[in-house]
Amino acid sequence: MDLLTWQRRGLLVVVGFLAFLVVAGTLVSSSQWIQQPFPGFFLYGNLTVAPDFLPDWSGNREGIRFLDRVVAVNGQRITDSRALYDLVRQSPLRSPFRYVVERGGQGLELTIPSGRFSFHDWLLSYGMYLLAGVGFLAIGFTPFYLGSPSPAAAPLFIMVSAIFFWFSATFDFVTTQWLPKEARIFAFTLTPSAGIHLGLLLTRGRRRRRGYLPYLILVYAISFGLGLAYSVTFYGRPEAWHWVLRLGYGYSCVAAVVFLGLLWAELRRPASDLESRRLRVISFGALLGFFIPTFGTVLASFFSWEIPYNLLLIPAVFFPLSVAYALLKYSLFDLDLVLKVGLSRGALTGALLLIYVLLVALIAPLVGIYGQDPLVPVFFSVLVVILFNPLLRGIEAAVDRYLFRREYDPMQLQTEAGALVKTLSRPRALAEKVVKLIAERVNIDAVLLLFRVGDGGRPLAVAVDRQDASDEDVLARLCLLWGRHFGTSKKGVSRDEAETDPVCRGVRAELLEVFERLKAELLISLTFEEEVVGFVALGTKRSGRGYSADDFKLLCLLADQLALALQNGALFEESERTKEQYQLLYDESQTLNKRLIEVDRQKKQFVANISHELRTPISTILGYSEVLLDASFGGDARAVLERVVTNGQELSQLMDSLLDFSRVETGSTTVDVQQVNIREMLHSLEIMATRLIKGRPIRIRIEIEPLVEVIETDPKKLQQILMQLLTNAVKFTERGEIALEMKSCSDPEQAFVEISVSDTGIGISKQDQEVIFEEFRQLDGSSTRQYGGTGLGLGLCKKLVQSLGGRIEVESEIGQGSVFNLVLPARRPELAIAGDLRAI
């Protein structure tokens, strides 16, 4: 424990012990007066009537006033107040006493019966002094003991200590007088100077403390001068003492005016929202608890207004309470709320009192007074029931509009935002709408929402009127910092709180860094299931005003609703994503199912086609073989044998195609790259194609660039590819031309050859061009088809071309013919590199 803490605790013990002695002494002396006869009023030691009255005291009823000086009782002069008290106690209760009093230099005779000083009387008169004094001391000592960083904590403690002794010693001052009168006198005169001292410290920084030292010397000198004058004139000429007493009360009222003037002057200077609202709270408390009571004493002492001083104690407690609250409370919005509640409830009280006065003034002369006829309080009670809530709402609306200058309708904003958060939307869309609404309605220059969506912690950033929203990395650090230091109990922090609140001391640097980075004036946390999941960073208002307690309350409410709505939106988005994935899987399964059905159909068709393609040459071979076996056959045997050979070759080609397709499917095919004389290969293919034309009006044209007569590829596969393309061209062309062209093409890395097979046949539609290279695919697979085939040809061609490192494409139009373009590398890469090296 540090030295400062020990000092505070030691001071607490000393102050508590002294306060206990004073309070105990007051209670002991008070107990000797309760249920005892008393004159119906109380006197100071100089025989001047004290200012404390209750309405039912006989002195108040018979017209004795504050500052009247009792000269004689029942014809006997008295020189000591205790002699009067003893005389009253020795007489029967309610015995009349004839008093001679001096008032304004004139003598008056008053007859006042004695009364019984009950506990109720003590509690409402001097008991209120004692309770108020203890309350002042406790309130004023709290900021000093709790270590408020404000330099005003010490003078506040001095001030309330003086007030405590002043109030606690008041009953002794008018009765037993066992305490020296100077103790209460100087406590009374030092209080206003301590108030001015407090005002200077509240409104001027530490750096300017030396500048107001002369002012402190002056005000405390006035207090000591008044105290000396008060003490010296106490038993002297009454007129002189009266003026000193009036000056004391006047100085207290002047001190209250100076205090308020210092605060209001400071409020006109640029300051943070927190400091401004702290000063406003103190101003309200000073007006209610400092100025009004001291002004009441001035009215009573200077103008003889009948104002019981004990009643002035009721609002007086608001002054130290407001100062202590402002010194200890660092929440911008708690201060704002206290100020608003204080103003609205004070105005409501004044309005009700005004209604009561008007009611009494209008109705009481007609129907009687309170003590004789209950009609006035009954009417007043009915009016309170009827007007209380409308009055309170109207006053709060006026306070919001004219003092706090509210710029928007909170109910409308809450309704519109509530309608948005009730909709089930995706988190980003919902956040953008709500954040934009808040920025527009509250008139904020920039708003940023950072939120961790779902269990996966995916960050979501939504910005309004900001250059970017790339602050997601702040979210994790801020959530950790907030959860560790504040938990979920603290809903928001303003920049001013982060700079001054002792609660933020451990994380002040980090918080201010976040405020600076986010360009924010207010941070509000988003919590869900006792966990901080995001933040709303709000910039400055375009009007230049700060955020009020109502702003903060409403924004926190909207933040809670938004956090829940965003979590629901995340669940909705996840369900929609799952639904979309399910639909995608379902669509894929349906597509795959259709594909499988189609493949099954194609395979069945393929089997049927293969059966047909096999049966045709086999039937032909068997038929012609039986003809040749017939001994009676006398025809051209050679022609028959040629047909048998032709069908056998077709059957052999069909079987080779099936075997090649099987090898390609199983991946067992190999590529044997050789140098191929392309001209010789195309010449042999021309002979084959001419034989297949069988007398149809079709011309065969072959063109080869001289530079590409030799290429490096697999001759067998290339021949098979070109044979299949030429066979298809002959099959689907009735007249016209079939052309086979070859030319070279290259890119910076490798040389290629482009071989094109074109015809003037029936052509292929656009949709069929996408499927002709699929396995088992035939454009006409019906039993009545005009053109034969197995459906393996082009699919096998594509696979063979890919195995050679090339590609095949088709261009065609219905009725105009087709062009199949085959692009193959002219040399293998390793052979090309070796050739280049040899050239070097």
Side-chain angles (χ1 to χ4, degrees):
M1 189 179 299
D2 58 10
L3 179 61
L4 186 60
T5 303
W6 279 112
Q7 291 175 346
R8 289 172 182 158
R9 291 194 174 184
L11 183 62
L12 173 64
V13 172
V14 173
V15 170
F17 180 71
L18 293 177
F20 173 77
L21 291 179
V22 173
V23 171
T26 301
L27 291 176
V28 169
S29 63
S30 299
S31 64
Q32 299 174 1
W33 281 80
I34 294 175
Q35 301 301 329
Q36 298 295 323
F38 81 114
F41 56 89
F42 285 95
L43 296 174
Y44 289 139
N46 59 2
L47 300 178
T48 301
V49 176
D52 309 301
F53 291 97
L54 290 179
D56 58 344
W57 285 4
S58 57
N60 182 59
R61 291 197 306 268
E62 301 301 331
I64 199 166
R65 297 180 182 175
F66 171 49
L67 295 183
D68 288 348
R69 188 169 185 270
V70 177
V71 178
V73 179
N74 293 336
Q76 298 180 359
R77 295 187 63 85
I78 59 172
T79 58
D80 191 331
S81 60
R82 283 174 290 189
L84 173 62
Y85 296 147
D86 291 339
L87 177 63
V88 171
R89 284 190 175 186
Q90 294 170 3
S91 302
L93 186 64
R94 296 185 178 84
S95 297
F97 291 88
R98 292 178 291 105
Y99 295 95
V100 177
V101 299
E102 290 183 356
R103 180 183 298 171
Q106 298 180 357
L108 297 175
E109 289 189 5
L110 299 173
T111 301
I112 303 173
S114 63
R116 185 184 301 278
F117 189 66
S118 66
F119 176 78
H120 178 266
D121 294 329
W122 175 84
L123 183 63
L124 293 181
S125 56
Y126 298 102
M128 291 182 63
Y129 276 100
L130 184 62
L131 292 175
V134 174
F136 269 65
L137 185 64
I139 293 169
F141 185 70
T142 301
F144 183 76
Y145 178 73
L146 295 180
S148 171
S150 174
L156 175 65
F157 174 59
I158 295 173
M159 181 180 182
V160 298
S161 298
I163 294 175
F164 165 75
F165 201 84
W166 170 17
F167 285 2
S168 301
T170 297
F171 187 70
D172 175 79
F173 194 65
V174 298
T175 55
T176 57
Q177 303 174 17
W178 63 275
L179 288 174
K181 70 178 187 305
E182 286 76 13
R184 183 182 181 276
I185 290 171
F186 281 100
F188 163 61
T189 58
L190 282 173
T191 297
S193 296
I196 297 176
H197 186 186
L198 178 64
L200 289 171
L201 287 178
L202 285 171
T203 57
R204 301 192 177 204
R206 297 174 183 271
R207 291 177 296 179
R208 302 174 64 183
R209 188 177 301 176
R210 294 182 180 179
Y212 59 74
L213 185 59
Y215 297 105
L216 292 182
I217 295 174
L218 175 63
V219 296
Y220 280 110
I222 293 174
S223 291
F224 279 102
L226 285 173
L228 288 174
Y230 193 118
S231 180
V232 170
T233 60
F234 188 73
Y235 291 110
R237 293 178 59 247
E239 294 79 5
W241 179 78
H242 288 174
W243 276 108
V244 172
L245 182 64
R246 291 187 180 106
L247 287 176
Y249 287 128
Y251 180 50
S252 298
C253 187
V254 169
V257 172
V258 170
F259 186 90
L260 288 172
L262 289 172
L263 294 183
W264 290 338
E266 188 68 20
L267 282 171
R268 296 177 65 87
R269 298 189 179 97
S272 65
D273 288 339
L274 180 62
E275 191 63 27
S276 297
R277 293 180 191 183
R278 185 177 286 149
L279 292 176
R280 289 193 188 102
V281 169
I282 297 174
S283 299
F284 175 74
L287 180 65
L288 193 65
F290 196 180
F291 175 73
I292 290 179
T294 56
F295 186 67
T297 60
V298 169
L299 294 177
S301 59
F302 279 86
F303 304 103
S304 300
W305 283 35
E306 296 182 4
I307 302 176
Y309 280 23
N310 49 317
L311 297 182
L312 294 176
L313 296 177
I314 297 175
V317 74
F318 287 101
F319 174 57
L321 186 62
S322 65
V323 176
Y325 188 86
L327 294 183
L328 290 175
K329 201 65 178 177
Y330 291 87
S331 173
L332 178 71
F333 309 108
D334 288 348
L335 291 170
D336 202 14
L337 184 62
V338 167
L339 180 60
K340 178 183 175 181
V341 170
L343 289 172
S344 59
R345 294 330 186 255
L348 177 65
T349 302
L352 293 176
L353 287 175
L354 179 62
I355 292 173
Y356 184 77
V357 170
L358 292 175
L359 191 66
V360 170
L362 294 175
I363 299 180
L366 301 177
V367 299
I369 60 172
Y370 180 86
Q372 299 173 350
D373 198 320
L375 193 57
V376 172
V378 169
F379 282 168
F380 179 69
S381 301
V382 172
L383 284 176
V384 167
V385 172
I386 296 174
L387 298 178
F388 184 87
N389 286 327
L391 265 178
L392 181 58
R393 286 195 296 267
I395 290 171
E396 288 180 340
V399 169
D400 287 334
R401 181 174 181 179
Y402 297 107
L403 294 181
F404 290 91
R405 298 181 182 179
R406 178 180 287 167
E407 303 162 319
Y408 63 96
D409 185 355
M411 293 302 297
Q412 181 183 0
L413 175 57
Q414 186 172 355
T415 301
E416 294 177 353
L420 287 177
V421 299
K422 288 178 182 177
T423 60
L424 198 58
S425 305
R426 296 182 183 272
R428 178 170 294 279
L430 174 64
E432 288 175 349
K433 292 178 182 178
V434 174
V435 168
K436 184 178 180 181
L437 177 66
I438 292 174
E440 290 177 351
R441 292 290 183 269
V442 189
N443 199 21
I444 305 173
D445 61 356
V447 181
L448 173 65
L449 169 69
L450 299 173
F451 187 74
R452 190 171 64 246
V453 181
D455 296 333
R458 178 169 54 86
L460 170 67
V462 175
V464 173
D465 294 335
R466 284 174 55 98
Q467 295 296 325
D468 59 78
S470 58
D471 298 296
E472 294 93 336
D473 58 316
V474 180
L475 179 59
R477 184 159 59 96
L478 189 55
C479 284
L480 181 63
L481 179 148
W482 197 282
R484 183 180 68 247
H485 197 77
F486 299 121
T488 57
S489 59
K490 195 171 185 64
K491 295 299 298 180
V493 172
S494 68
R495 185 190 287 265
D496 291 334
E497 289 178 76
E499 291 174 348
T500 58
D501 195 342
V503 175
C504 303
R505 185 181 296 115
V507 291
R508 179 166 291 127
E510 295 177 87
L511 274 179
L512 291 177
E513 179 185 352
V514 171
F515 274 104
E516 187 62 30
R517 176 168 178 179
L518 300 182
K519 300 294 186 293
E521 292 297 321
L522 176 62
L523 278 178
I524 296 179
S525 64
L526 302 176
T527 57
F528 181 74
E529 293 183 349
E530 299 300 321
E531 181 183 2
V532 179
V533 293
F535 291 90
V536 179
L538 301 133
T540 57
K541 288 186 176 181
R542 291 189 176 93
S543 61
R545 300 187 183 97
Y547 292 95
S548 66
D550 289 335
D551 293 336
F552 181 71
K553 182 179 179 181
L554 178 59
L555 291 171
C556 288
L557 177 62
L558 296 180
D560 289 338
Q561 295 177 353
L562 181 58
L564 179 60
L566 288 175
Q567 289 292 347
N568 292 336
L571 296 176
F572 170 72
E573 185 177 40
E574 186 66 26
S575 66
E576 287 294 304
R577 190 181 301 112
T578 303
K579 181 180 178 180
E580 291 173 359
Q581 292 175 352
Y582 172 79
Q583 185 64 40
L584 181 61
L585 291 174
Y586 177 78
D587 293 341
E588 290 177 353
S589 66
Q590 292 297 315
T591 302
L592 182 58
N593 186 44
K594 292 179 181 179
R595 176 66 177 164
L596 291 174
I597 294 173
E598 178 64 19
V599 169
D600 183 65
R601 186 193 65 78
Q602 291 176 5
K603 286 187 177 181
K604 290 178 179 179
Q605 182 180 337
F606 171 70
V607 172
N609 292 341
I610 286 294
S611 300
H612 176 73
E613 294 296 326
L614 289 174
R615 185 173 63 248
T616 300
I618 290 175
S619 298
T620 302
I621 292 171
L622 290 175
Y624 281 113
S625 297
E626 290 176 356
V627 169
L628 291 175
L629 289 175
D630 188 358
S632 63
F633 175 71
D636 188 358
R638 184 176 180 83
V640 173
L641 287 173
E642 286 179 356
R643 292 192 177 186
V644 170
V645 170
T646 300
N647 282 274
Q649 289 175 346
E650 291 179 0
L651 184 60
S652 177
Q653 290 175 1
L654 178 60
M655 298 306 296
D656 287 341
S657 297
L658 290 173
L659 290 174
D660 289 339
F661 179 78
S662 177
R663 293 191 191 100
V664 171
E665 286 293 307
T666 59
S668 60
T669 184
T670 59
V671 178
D672 183 15
V673 178
Q674 302 175 15
Q675 288 191 353
V676 179
N677 189 317
I678 199 67
R679 186 175 292 276
E680 293 179 359
M681 179 181 291
L682 295 184
H683 180 69
S684 62
L685 289 172
E686 182 182 9
I687 295 173
M688 181 207 71
T690 302
R691 189 176 71 248
L692 292 175
I693 289 174
K694 296 179 181 180
R696 285 177 287 173
I698 299 173
R699 184 171 66 88
I700 302 294
R701 179 172 59 85
I702 297 178
E703 292 183 5
I704 305 174
E705 286 186 0
L707 298 178
V708 291
E709 291 196 7
V710 178
I711 64 173
E712 293 175 354
T713 186
D714 188 327
K716 190 175 180 180
K717 288 184 171 54
L718 178 58
Q719 184 172 4
Q720 188 175 357
I721 294 168
L722 295 177
M723 184 182 297
Q724 182 65 50
L725 295 177
L726 285 171
T727 301
N728 285 349
V730 172
K731 183 191 301 184
F732 296 104
T733 303
E734 292 297 328
R735 61 177 55 84
E737 180 185 76
I738 296 174
L740 197 154
E741 301 173 307
M742 179 175 290
K743 60 183 178 179
S744 64
C745 58
S746 63
D747 60 21
E749 297 182 357
Q750 190 174 4
F752 293 89
V753 293
E754 181 177 348
I755 305 172
S756 62
V757 178
S758 61
D759 61 61
T760 57
I762 61 175
I764 307 170
S765 65
K766 292 293 184 182
Q767 59 269 25
D768 289 336
Q769 291 176 25
E770 300 176 0
V771 298
I772 58 174
F773 292 106
E774 296 179 3
E775 296 89 348
F776 317 121
R777 172 71 70 172
Q778 277 194 313
L779 300 185
D780 183 10
S782 65
S783 60
T784 61
R785 59 198 176 116
Q786 180 180 355
Y787 305 101
T790 61
L792 291 177
L794 290 178
L796 180 59
C797 284
K798 183 177 181 180
K799 291 183 179 296
L800 292 175
V801 169
Q802 291 173 347
S803 68
L804 296 178
R807 66 180 185 275
I808 185 170
E809 298 171 349
V810 63
E811 298 176 5
S812 181
E813 291 185 12
I814 296 294
Q816 301 296 321
S818 304
V819 179
F820 286 86
N821 294 311
L822 174 64
V823 180
L824 294 173
R827 290 181 294 174
R828 288 188 301 177
E830 60 270 18
L831 294 177
I833 294 173
D836 293 338
L837 291 175
R838 286 195 298 271
I840 295 173

